[in-house]
Amino acid sequence: GESAVWDRAQARMADGAENNVVVSKNKRHRKDKPWDHEGIDHWAIPKCGKDENPSGLADESSFAVLFPKYREKYLRESWPLVTRSLKEVGVRCELNLVEGSMSVFTTRKTYDPYIIIKARDLIKLLSRSVPAPQALKVLQDDVNCDIIKIGGLIRNTDKFVKRRQRLIGPNGSTLKALELLTNCYILVQGNTVSAMGSYKGLKVVRRIVEDCIKNVHPIFHIKELMIKRELEKDERLKNESWDRFLPKFKKKNVQRKKPKVIRQKKEYTPFPPPQMPSKVDLQIESGEYFLNQRQKKAKTFEEKQERQARRTEESKRRREEAFRPPGEGGDPPSTKKAKPGSESLSDVVKSLKSKGSSKPRDRDAAGDVSEYFADAKSEKKKKKKKEKKEKKKKKEK
């Protein structure tokens, strides 16, 4: 009997040891879920039908969005299409042209609780100039939207316009390339960029758009996306890092042109500069302030006489310099100042010969000119004679 009791005690101890497995604090109360198995796809979006929520929603939810004036005409034309599409999913919509707003509301027929968020995204896209047929695709489960605000990323308006145009590209080629690589619809409108597609594609589009406004060209991202698309096809590289295949672009710090005149900064002092003396202060210092009117006039007259005397002396000295010979310390009267002793005798003879030879040429030239004028006068006389003869003939006829 004792041996049987001992065996049962040992069995109980073994069961307790098995049950006392160390489990982390976070997973202590977790239980196995019958629907959570290895073959399940956690990223798949389950469809929500009328059978899933037959009783509908407990309360009404609504969203309203304002739209610009230039969209009024288009929204009025396309509103029947929007109303029909939202009615199918049990959402009511209103277009208020007085306030310039669009509103969406849930109804008793609404069975999908998330469809009101989709309807809100729809009216947001319509207000941002997305065409109605394209915007209605956001009601599908696998299509999402993202409105990227780019207006506040840069202050300079000229730079902003250039970089926004860089995102679009020549004839929209850059935007088309991004749409093909990310499988998203992209529309650049004013200060926002509207994008529609999968969550993965929208994440890439946001990064590219924000980098473009921050002066990173979209072509770098396009190259990277093209390489990644090719690498996805290779089964062997699924579990490996792709960093060795992706291009690494270095930033080029283009230095600004240095100014020609570099201003030296003055040393900072907290005290202001001393005040400059006024006209009255200077008169007090010189004693002129205390003179009467007659004395002031006499002083100004004396100063005037001194200035005139100084000027006459200077003009007299200038006139005398022209008559001073070169040997007496003054310059020669000629305009060109030649150093004394620099010209040799042969140079002087050559210059005199050239001057002498130039005179007959001038005479010849003068003769030629006079002949030219004489010929011109004779031609004019001949023309006048011809004209007179022609007039006489006409009169005779």
Side-chain angles (χ1 to χ4, degrees), residues 153-188:
L153 294 174
I154 188 168
R155 286 184 180 179
N156 194 326
T157 313
D158 296 335
K159 282 184 181 178
F160 170 73
V161 171
K162 283 178 184 175
R163 289 175 190 180
R164 186 180 63 183
Q165 187 58 39
R166 192 187 292 169
L167 180 65
I168 297 163
N171 300 321
S173 56
T174 309
L175 206 65
K176 191 69 182 173
L178 289 172
E179 285 181 350
L180 292 168
L181 289 166
T182 56
N183 296 322
C184 291
Y185 170 81
I186 307 166
L187 178 77
V188 181

mmCIF file of all heavy atoms in Angstrom, residues 153-188:
data_model
loop_
_atom_site.group_PDB
_atom_site.id
_atom_site.type_symbol
_atom_site.label_atom_id
_atom_site.label_comp_id
_atom_site.label_asym_id
_atom_site.label_seq_id
_atom_site.Cartn_x
_atom_site.Cartn_y
_atom_site.Cartn_z
ATOM 1 N N LEU A 153 6.055 73.520 -46.609
ATOM 2 C CA LEU A 153 7.385 72.900 -46.501
ATOM 3 C C LEU A 153 8.506 73.856 -46.884
ATOM 4 O O LEU A 153 9.660 73.631 -46.521
ATOM 5 C CB LEU A 153 7.456 71.646 -47.385
ATOM 6 C CG LEU A 153 6.557 70.478 -46.976
ATOM 7 C CD1 LEU A 153 6.622 69.370 -47.998
ATOM 8 C CD2 LEU A 153 6.973 69.939 -45.609
ATOM 9 N N ILE A 154 8.196 74.918 -47.662
ATOM 10 C CA ILE A 154 9.222 75.877 -48.105
ATOM 11 C C ILE A 154 8.607 77.271 -48.129
ATOM 12 O O ILE A 154 7.445 77.436 -48.480
ATOM 13 C CB ILE A 154 9.788 75.465 -49.485
ATOM 14 C CG1 ILE A 154 10.982 76.331 -49.865
ATOM 15 C CG2 ILE A 154 8.725 75.502 -50.564
ATOM 16 C CD1 ILE A 154 11.759 75.810 -51.039
ATOM 17 N N ARG A 155 9.400 78.270 -47.745
ATOM 18 C CA ARG A 155 8.881 79.643 -47.653
ATOM 19 C C ARG A 155 8.916 80.358 -48.997
ATOM 20 O O ARG A 155 7.978 81.037 -49.358
ATOM 21 C CB ARG A 155 9.713 80.442 -46.640
ATOM 22 C CG ARG A 155 9.414 80.069 -45.204
ATOM 23 C CD ARG A 155 10.191 80.956 -44.261
ATOM 24 N NE ARG A 155 9.946 80.637 -42.871
ATOM 25 C CZ ARG A 155 10.514 81.264 -41.851
ATOM 26 N NH1 ARG A 155 11.378 82.225 -42.069
ATOM 27 N NH2 ARG A 155 10.238 80.918 -40.609
ATOM 28 N N ASN A 156 10.027 80.214 -49.725
ATOM 29 C CA ASN A 156 10.211 80.956 -50.978
ATOM 30 C C ASN A 156 9.217 80.466 -52.039
ATOM 31 O O ASN A 156 9.210 79.293 -52.403
ATOM 32 C CB ASN A 156 11.651 80.776 -51.480
ATOM 33 C CG ASN A 156 12.006 81.766 -52.560
ATOM 34 O OD1 ASN A 156 11.169 82.145 -53.376
ATOM 35 N ND2 ASN A 156 13.249 82.192 -52.576
ATOM 36 N N THR A 157 8.383 81.383 -52.548
ATOM 37 C CA THR A 157 7.326 81.016 -53.500
ATOM 38 C C THR A 157 7.901 80.555 -54.834
ATOM 39 O O THR A 157 7.413 79.587 -55.425
ATOM 40 C CB THR A 157 6.381 82.214 -53.736
ATOM 41 O OG1 THR A 157 6.026 82.773 -52.474
ATOM 42 C CG2 THR A 157 5.121 81.790 -54.458
ATOM 43 N N ASP A 158 8.956 81.244 -55.317
ATOM 44 C CA ASP A 158 9.565 80.881 -56.614
ATOM 45 C C ASP A 158 10.146 79.475 -56.571
ATOM 46 O O ASP A 158 9.966 78.683 -57.502
ATOM 47 C CB ASP A 158 10.662 81.882 -56.991
ATOM 48 C CG ASP A 158 10.106 83.279 -57.220
ATOM 49 O OD1 ASP A 158 8.904 83.359 -57.553
ATOM 50 O OD2 ASP A 158 10.839 84.260 -57.071
ATOM 51 N N LYS A 159 10.846 79.160 -55.480
ATOM 52 C CA LYS A 159 11.432 77.814 -55.318
ATOM 53 C C LYS A 159 10.331 76.759 -55.244
ATOM 54 O O LYS A 159 10.450 75.676 -55.812
ATOM 55 C CB LYS A 159 12.295 77.765 -54.052
ATOM 56 C CG LYS A 159 13.659 78.410 -54.216
ATOM 57 C CD LYS A 159 14.474 78.234 -52.957
ATOM 58 C CE LYS A 159 15.839 78.890 -53.098
ATOM 59 N NZ LYS A 159 16.630 78.752 -51.854
ATOM 60 N N PHE A 160 9.250 77.095 -54.525
ATOM 61 C CA PHE A 160 8.135 76.149 -54.369
ATOM 62 C C PHE A 160 7.517 75.810 -55.723
ATOM 63 O O PHE A 160 7.269 74.648 -56.029
ATOM 64 C CB PHE A 160 7.085 76.745 -53.430
ATOM 65 C CG PHE A 160 5.792 75.972 -53.379
ATOM 66 C CD1 PHE A 160 5.740 74.760 -52.725
ATOM 67 C CD2 PHE A 160 4.649 76.447 -53.999
ATOM 68 C CE1 PHE A 160 4.559 74.028 -52.673
ATOM 69 C CE2 PHE A 160 3.473 75.732 -53.956
ATOM 70 C CZ PHE A 160 3.432 74.521 -53.292
ATOM 71 N N VAL A 161 7.295 76.840 -56.559
ATOM 72 C CA VAL A 161 6.685 76.632 -57.882
ATOM 73 C C VAL A 161 7.595 75.774 -58.763
ATOM 74 O O VAL A 161 7.135 74.850 -59.450
ATOM 75 C CB VAL A 161 6.381 77.998 -58.551
ATOM 76 C CG1 VAL A 161 5.968 77.817 -59.997
ATOM 77 C CG2 VAL A 161 5.306 78.737 -57.781
ATOM 78 N N LYS A 162 8.912 76.047 -58.731
ATOM 79 C CA LYS A 162 9.869 75.291 -59.556
ATOM 80 C C LYS A 162 9.920 73.827 -59.126
ATOM 81 O O LYS A 162 9.957 72.920 -59.959
ATOM 82 C CB LYS A 162 11.265 75.911 -59.440
ATOM 83 C CG LYS A 162 11.430 77.179 -60.262
ATOM 84 C CD LYS A 162 12.813 77.755 -60.067
ATOM 85 C CE LYS A 162 12.955 79.084 -60.809
ATOM 86 N NZ LYS A 162 14.264 79.713 -60.540
ATOM 87 N N ARG A 163 9.933 73.589 -57.813
ATOM 88 C CA ARG A 163 10.035 72.205 -57.314
ATOM 89 C C ARG A 163 8.733 71.440 -57.523
ATOM 90 O O ARG A 163 8.762 70.230 -57.756
ATOM 91 C CB ARG A 163 10.434 72.230 -55.834
ATOM 92 C CG ARG A 163 11.881 72.677 -55.653
ATOM 93 C CD ARG A 163 12.263 72.823 -54.205
ATOM 94 N NE ARG A 163 13.557 73.482 -54.082
ATOM 95 C CZ ARG A 163 14.149 73.755 -52.932
ATOM 96 N NH1 ARG A 163 13.562 73.430 -51.792
ATOM 97 N NH2 ARG A 163 15.320 74.362 -52.906
ATOM 98 N N ARG A 164 7.622 72.140 -57.451
ATOM 99 C CA ARG A 164 6.328 71.485 -57.747
ATOM 100 C C ARG A 164 6.264 71.084 -59.216
ATOM 101 O O ARG A 164 5.789 69.997 -59.554
ATOM 102 C CB ARG A 164 5.193 72.439 -57.391
ATOM 103 C CG ARG A 164 3.806 71.826 -57.526
ATOM 104 C CD ARG A 164 2.743 72.815 -57.156
ATOM 105 N NE ARG A 164 2.747 73.963 -58.043
ATOM 106 C CZ ARG A 164 1.945 75.026 -57.908
ATOM 107 N NH1 ARG A 164 1.099 75.087 -56.897
ATOM 108 N NH2 ARG A 164 2.004 76.037 -58.745
ATOM 109 N N GLN A 165 6.796 71.959 -60.087
ATOM 110 C CA GLN A 165 6.848 71.642 -61.519
ATOM 111 C C GLN A 165 7.820 70.485 -61.787
ATOM 112 O O GLN A 165 7.599 69.673 -62.684
ATOM 113 C CB GLN A 165 7.275 72.893 -62.303
ATOM 114 C CG GLN A 165 7.205 72.746 -63.810
ATOM 115 C CD GLN A 165 5.824 72.384 -64.308
ATOM 116 O OE1 GLN A 165 4.824 72.875 -63.796
ATOM 117 N NE2 GLN A 165 5.758 71.526 -65.297
ATOM 118 N N ARG A 166 8.878 70.407 -60.994
ATOM 119 C CA ARG A 166 9.851 69.312 -61.108
ATOM 120 C C ARG A 166 9.185 67.972 -60.792
ATOM 121 O O ARG A 166 9.517 66.942 -61.391
ATOM 122 C CB ARG A 166 11.007 69.570 -60.128
ATOM 123 C CG ARG A 166 12.216 68.687 -60.319
ATOM 124 C CD ARG A 166 13.214 68.919 -59.210
ATOM 125 N NE ARG A 166 13.815 70.230 -59.285
ATOM 126 C CZ ARG A 166 14.564 70.760 -58.321
ATOM 127 N NH1 ARG A 166 14.760 70.082 -57.199
ATOM 128 N NH2 ARG A 166 15.089 71.951 -58.455
ATOM 129 N N LEU A 167 8.247 67.981 -59.846
ATOM 130 C CA LEU A 167 7.502 66.764 -59.494
ATOM 131 C C LEU A 167 6.621 66.306 -60.657
ATOM 132 O O LEU A 167 6.502 65.106 -60.916
ATOM 133 C CB LEU A 167 6.657 67.023 -58.251
ATOM 134 C CG LEU A 167 5.795 65.884 -57.713
ATOM 135 C CD1 LEU A 167 6.670 64.748 -57.216
ATOM 136 C CD2 LEU A 167 4.899 66.366 -56.596
ATOM 137 N N ILE A 168 6.023 67.266 -61.366
ATOM 138 C CA ILE A 168 5.167 66.924 -62.520
ATOM 139 C C ILE A 168 6.024 66.469 -63.694
ATOM 140 O O ILE A 168 5.708 65.480 -64.357
ATOM 141 C CB ILE A 168 4.289 68.133 -62.902
ATOM 142 C CG1 ILE A 168 3.349 68.483 -61.733
ATOM 143 C CG2 ILE A 168 3.489 67.858 -64.166
ATOM 144 C CD1 ILE A 168 2.738 69.858 -61.814
ATOM 145 N N GLY A 169 7.127 67.207 -63.965
ATOM 146 C CA GLY A 169 8.025 66.853 -65.069
ATOM 147 C C GLY A 169 7.547 67.407 -66.401
ATOM 148 O O GLY A 169 6.426 67.914 -66.504
ATOM 149 N N PRO A 170 8.397 67.289 -67.441
ATOM 150 C CA PRO A 170 7.991 67.779 -68.772
ATOM 151 C C PRO A 170 6.844 66.944 -69.334
ATOM 152 O O PRO A 170 6.943 65.720 -69.450
ATOM 153 C CB PRO A 170 9.267 67.629 -69.620
ATOM 154 C CG PRO A 170 10.126 66.672 -68.872
ATOM 155 C CD PRO A 170 9.765 66.759 -67.441
ATOM 156 N N ASN A 171 5.726 67.613 -69.646
ATOM 157 C CA ASN A 171 4.502 66.957 -70.153
ATOM 158 C C ASN A 171 3.968 65.885 -69.194
ATOM 159 O O ASN A 171 3.368 64.891 -69.620
ATOM 160 C CB ASN A 171 4.742 66.341 -71.538
ATOM 161 C CG ASN A 171 5.163 67.390 -72.542
ATOM 162 O OD1 ASN A 171 4.655 68.506 -72.532
ATOM 163 N ND2 ASN A 171 6.106 67.042 -73.405
ATOM 164 N N GLY A 172 4.231 66.054 -67.882
ATOM 165 C CA GLY A 172 3.739 65.110 -66.871
ATOM 166 C C GLY A 172 4.426 63.757 -66.887
ATOM 167 O O GLY A 172 3.872 62.772 -66.364
ATOM 168 N N SER A 173 5.643 63.669 -67.456
ATOM 169 C CA SER A 173 6.338 62.372 -67.585
ATOM 170 C C SER A 173 6.799 61.823 -66.237
ATOM 171 O O SER A 173 6.696 60.619 -65.978
ATOM 172 C CB SER A 173 7.548 62.518 -68.521
ATOM 173 O OG SER A 173 8.410 63.531 -68.042
ATOM 174 N N THR A 174 7.293 62.711 -65.348
ATOM 175 C CA THR A 174 7.771 62.259 -64.020
ATOM 176 C C THR A 174 6.608 61.717 -63.193
ATOM 177 O O THR A 174 6.731 60.679 -62.531
ATOM 178 C CB THR A 174 8.453 63.423 -63.282
ATOM 179 O OG1 THR A 174 9.433 64.015 -64.132
ATOM 180 C CG2 THR A 174 9.133 62.950 -62.013
ATOM 181 N N LEU A 175 5.482 62.420 -63.239
ATOM 182 C CA LEU A 175 4.294 61.990 -62.476
ATOM 183 C C LEU A 175 3.775 60.650 -62.995
ATOM 184 O O LEU A 175 3.370 59.784 -62.208
ATOM 185 C CB LEU A 175 3.218 63.069 -62.587
ATOM 186 C CG LEU A 175 2.202 63.145 -61.455
ATOM 187 C CD1 LEU A 175 2.883 63.537 -60.163
ATOM 188 C CD2 LEU A 175 1.123 64.154 -61.774
ATOM 189 N N LYS A 176 3.808 60.457 -64.312
ATOM 190 C CA LYS A 176 3.351 59.206 -64.918
ATOM 191 C C LYS A 176 4.251 58.040 -64.509
ATOM 192 O O LYS A 176 3.765 56.932 -64.214
ATOM 193 C CB LYS A 176 3.334 59.354 -66.450
ATOM 194 C CG LYS A 176 2.648 58.228 -67.183
ATOM 195 C CD LYS A 176 1.156 58.237 -66.943
ATOM 196 C CE LYS A 176 0.462 57.091 -67.628
ATOM 197 N NZ LYS A 176 -0.957 57.009 -67.247
ATOM 198 N N ALA A 177 5.560 58.297 -64.463
ATOM 199 C CA ALA A 177 6.516 57.252 -64.042
ATOM 200 C C ALA A 177 6.265 56.840 -62.596
ATOM 201 O O ALA A 177 6.294 55.644 -62.266
ATOM 202 C CB ALA A 177 7.942 57.766 -64.211
ATOM 203 N N LEU A 178 5.990 57.821 -61.723
ATOM 204 C CA LEU A 178 5.703 57.523 -60.311
ATOM 205 C C LEU A 178 4.407 56.732 -60.176
ATOM 206 O O LEU A 178 4.313 55.821 -59.345
ATOM 207 C CB LEU A 178 5.599 58.823 -59.510
ATOM 208 C CG LEU A 178 6.902 59.597 -59.278
ATOM 209 C CD1 LEU A 178 6.619 60.946 -58.661
ATOM 210 C CD2 LEU A 178 7.853 58.816 -58.387
ATOM 211 N N GLU A 179 3.400 57.060 -60.981
ATOM 212 C CA GLU A 179 2.124 56.326 -60.946
ATOM 213 C C GLU A 179 2.317 54.870 -61.347
ATOM 214 O O GLU A 179 1.729 53.969 -60.728
ATOM 215 C CB GLU A 179 1.118 56.995 -61.878
ATOM 216 C CG GLU A 179 0.541 58.283 -61.324
ATOM 217 C CD GLU A 179 -0.481 58.923 -62.253
ATOM 218 O OE1 GLU A 179 -0.608 58.463 -63.406
ATOM 219 O OE2 GLU A 179 -1.138 59.892 -61.833
ATOM 220 N N LEU A 180 3.146 54.622 -62.356
ATOM 221 C CA LEU A 180 3.380 53.248 -62.823
ATOM 222 C C LEU A 180 4.180 52.434 -61.810
ATOM 223 O O LEU A 180 3.917 51.246 -61.613
ATOM 224 C CB LEU A 180 4.124 53.273 -64.162
ATOM 225 C CG LEU A 180 3.315 53.819 -65.366
ATOM 226 C CD1 LEU A 180 4.236 54.056 -66.543
ATOM 227 C CD2 LEU A 180 2.201 52.862 -65.743
ATOM 228 N N LEU A 181 5.151 53.076 -61.145
ATOM 229 C CA LEU A 181 6.012 52.346 -60.210
ATOM 230 C C LEU A 181 5.341 52.107 -58.861
ATOM 231 O O LEU A 181 5.642 51.115 -58.194
ATOM 232 C CB LEU A 181 7.324 53.113 -60.008
ATOM 233 C CG LEU A 181 8.278 53.116 -61.214
ATOM 234 C CD1 LEU A 181 9.352 54.166 -61.044
ATOM 235 C CD2 LEU A 181 8.925 51.749 -61.398
ATOM 236 N N THR A 182 4.462 53.024 -58.435
ATOM 237 C CA THR A 182 3.818 52.884 -57.118
ATOM 238 C C THR A 182 2.394 52.331 -57.206
ATOM 239 O O THR A 182 1.794 52.046 -56.161
ATOM 240 C CB THR A 182 3.765 54.251 -56.407
ATOM 241 O OG1 THR A 182 3.096 55.198 -57.248
ATOM 242 C CG2 THR A 182 5.170 54.762 -56.102
ATOM 243 N N ASN A 183 1.851 52.191 -58.440
ATOM 244 C CA ASN A 183 0.467 51.749 -58.651
ATOM 245 C C ASN A 183 -0.529 52.637 -57.916
ATOM 246 O O ASN A 183 -1.497 52.164 -57.306
ATOM 247 C CB ASN A 183 0.292 50.284 -58.205
ATOM 248 C CG ASN A 183 1.121 49.350 -59.058
ATOM 249 O OD1 ASN A 183 1.248 49.539 -60.262
ATOM 250 N ND2 ASN A 183 1.718 48.359 -58.427
ATOM 251 N N CYS A 184 -0.270 53.958 -57.962
ATOM 252 C CA CYS A 184 -1.137 54.934 -57.312
ATOM 253 C C CYS A 184 -1.544 56.011 -58.312
ATOM 254 O O CYS A 184 -0.804 56.293 -59.252
ATOM 255 C CB CYS A 184 -0.412 55.607 -56.140
ATOM 256 S SG CYS A 184 -0.102 54.506 -54.753
ATOM 257 N N TYR A 185 -2.718 56.603 -58.067
ATOM 258 C CA TYR A 185 -3.141 57.762 -58.838
ATOM 259 C C TYR A 185 -2.662 59.004 -58.104
ATOM 260 O O TYR A 185 -2.894 59.147 -56.888
ATOM 261 C CB TYR A 185 -4.669 57.786 -58.971
ATOM 262 C CG TYR A 185 -5.220 59.060 -59.555
ATOM 263 C CD1 TYR A 185 -5.234 59.277 -60.930
ATOM 264 C CD2 TYR A 185 -5.721 60.066 -58.722
ATOM 265 C CE1 TYR A 185 -5.737 60.452 -61.470
ATOM 266 C CE2 TYR A 185 -6.231 61.238 -59.248
ATOM 267 C CZ TYR A 185 -6.231 61.424 -60.626
ATOM 268 O OH TYR A 185 -6.717 62.589 -61.152
ATOM 269 N N ILE A 186 -1.950 59.913 -58.793
ATOM 270 C CA ILE A 186 -1.381 61.122 -58.163
ATOM 271 C C ILE A 186 -1.875 62.340 -58.922
ATOM 272 O O ILE A 186 -1.826 62.383 -60.150
ATOM 273 C CB ILE A 186 0.167 61.084 -58.159
ATOM 274 C CG1 ILE A 186 0.691 59.775 -57.529
ATOM 275 C CG2 ILE A 186 0.735 62.274 -57.407
ATOM 276 C CD1 ILE A 186 2.153 59.507 -57.776
ATOM 277 N N LEU A 187 -2.338 63.359 -58.168
ATOM 278 C CA LEU A 187 -2.783 64.621 -58.763
ATOM 279 C C LEU A 187 -2.202 65.779 -57.952
ATOM 280 O O LEU A 187 -2.420 65.864 -56.739
ATOM 281 C CB LEU A 187 -4.308 64.715 -58.772
ATOM 282 C CG LEU A 187 -4.860 66.022 -59.343
ATOM 283 C CD1 LEU A 187 -4.797 66.022 -60.864
ATOM 284 C CD2 LEU A 187 -6.279 66.257 -58.875
ATOM 285 N N VAL A 188 -1.436 66.649 -58.640
ATOM 286 C CA VAL A 188 -0.851 67.839 -57.993
ATOM 287 C C VAL A 188 -1.807 69.003 -58.236
ATOM 288 O O VAL A 188 -2.112 69.329 -59.385
ATOM 289 C CB VAL A 188 0.547 68.154 -58.573
ATOM 290 C CG1 VAL A 188 1.142 69.373 -57.889
ATOM 291 C CG2 VAL A 188 1.473 66.955 -58.415
#
